[in-house]
């Protein structure tokens, strides 16, 4: 840590535009975390080095419920409440030259606007991973393609179903036509040779 290597001097903080009081507080918090990790948790400590994403992921894991998405330059909307909030002009993110799409913050302070304090840029994938009860990741292109595929499959299924129903109706109509034709052929026409059945009169027996 550069601050510790320079003796934690206020002059170093002023020269590098770092708030000395906040840095001393951060050092105390770090010392507490080290004591807890080594003591009760018995964890092996590993230095992150230049891997700042690991640190930002830790911050996102704690503050995912206080996340915001960019609306315009320096202006954000809270992802849970939709409330507009702003980067403070003294924030390091404010003068970066670009505005991060997603951030997490420690607290809101209201003066002339709702300003966020202790802001960190995060990846939206981290929010979906660490807060699945609040956020979900949706890829716009893949979502549209999946929706189009589902719509196409639904249309094809409906077309096949309509064809099957039409074939079933045609088969039923054919069967009804055959049934009507068979019933007409069995009707007896009056006066025809086959209209009245002929019965032979039994011969009378003569007693001798």
């Amino acid at each position: 840590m550069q601050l510790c290597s320079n003796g934690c001097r206020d002059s170093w903080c002023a020269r590098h535009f770092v708030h000395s009081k906040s840095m001393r507080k951060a050092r105390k918090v770090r010392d507490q975390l080290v004591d807890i990790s080594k003591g009760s948790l018995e964890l092996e400590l590993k230095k992150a080095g230049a891997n700042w994403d690991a640190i930002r992921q830790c911050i996102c894991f704690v503050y995912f419920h206080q996340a915001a998405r960019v609306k315009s330059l320096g202006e954000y909307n809270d992802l849970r409440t939709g409330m507009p909030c702003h980067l403070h002009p003294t924030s390091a993110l404010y003068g970066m030259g670009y505005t991060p799409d997603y951030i997490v913050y420690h607290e809101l302070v209201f003066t002339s606007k709702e300003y966020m304090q202790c802001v960190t840029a995060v990846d939206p994938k981290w929010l979906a991973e660490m807060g699945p009860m609040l956020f979900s990741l949706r890829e716009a292109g893949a979502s549209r393609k999946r929706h189009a595929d589902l719509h196409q499959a639904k249309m094809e299924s409906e077309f096949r179903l309509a064809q099957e129903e039409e074939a079933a109706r045609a088969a039923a109509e054919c069967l009804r036509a055959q049934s009507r034709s068979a019933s007409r052929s069995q009707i007896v026409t009056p006066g025809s040779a086959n209209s009245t059945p002929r019965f032979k009169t039994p011969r009378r027996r003569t007693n001798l």
Side-chain angles (χ1 to χ4, degrees), residues 192-208:
S192 63
N194 297 327
S195 61
T196 303
R198 294 172 179 254
F199 298 98
K200 293 183 179 180
T201 304
R203 293 180 180 180
R204 293 181 180 180
R205 293 185 180 182
T206 303
N207 295 326
L208 298 177

Side-chain angles (χ1 to χ4, degrees), residues 27-72:
R27 185 183 179 186
K28 290 181 180 179
V29 172
R30 182 185 182 278
D31 293 340
Q32 292 176 1
L33 292 175
V34 170
D35 292 340
I36 294 173
S37 300
K38 288 183 177 180
S40 57
L41 299 180
E42 297 181 356
L43 297 176
E44 180 183 357
L45 300 183
K46 296 181 180 180
K47 292 185 178 181
N51 184 15
W52 299 109
D53 285 350
I55 299 174
R56 292 195 296 133
Q57 284 179 345
C58 293
I59 297 174
C60 182
F61 183 78
V62 178
Y63 289 105
F64 66 85
H65 59 285
Q66 294 181 180
R69 180 171 55 190
V70 66
K71 181 180 179 182
S72 61

Side-chain angles (χ1 to χ4, degrees), residues 125-173:
K125 294 181 180 179
W126 302 344
L127 295 173
E129 179 183 352
M130 300 172 186
M133 70 293 294
L134 297 177
F135 311 111
S136 61
L137 190 64
R138 182 178 63 186
E139 298 180 3
S143 178
R144 286 196 296 267
K145 185 178 183 303
R146 184 163 52 251
H147 180 73
D149 292 342
L150 291 175
H151 182 66
Q152 181 68 21
K154 182 180 179 181
M155 290 180 62
E156 292 176 357
S157 177
E158 291 178 352
F159 180 71
R160 286 195 299 269
L161 182 61
Q163 284 185 325
E164 292 174 359
E165 291 178 352
E166 183 66 25
R169 283 196 295 269
E173 184 65 27

